[in-house]
Amino acid sequence: MNTCIKPVQTWLNNHPKAKQWAWFVALWLGGLMTVMAVAYPIKWIIRSM
């Protein structure tokens, strides 16, 4: 697996703007997943009442 990750890390280190965008997208998706993980159980509980 390290052979797959190393070229990506090298490329991202050589392209700091792309690295910044990758972090932005990763954090945005992480936030979206967190909101969904909190919202859907609440939605399910409210609909089942």
Side-chain angles (χ1 to χ4, degrees):
M1 185 156 178
N2 193 20
T3 58
C4 297
I5 294 173
K6 189 97 171 143
V8 173
Q9 283 180 334
T10 304
W11 188 83
L12 285 174
N13 287 335
N14 291 335
H15 299 87
K17 201 68 167 174
K19 187 176 185 179
Q20 181 181 1
W21 274 104
W23 269 109
F24 172 75
V25 170
L27 289 174
W28 187 84
L29 287 174
L32 182 64
M33 292 299 133
T34 302
V35 168
M36 287 174 58
V38 171
Y40 278 111
I42 294 171
K43 182 179 177 181
W44 181 76
I45 290 169
I46 290 174
R47 283 190 177 190
S48 66
M49 291 180 135

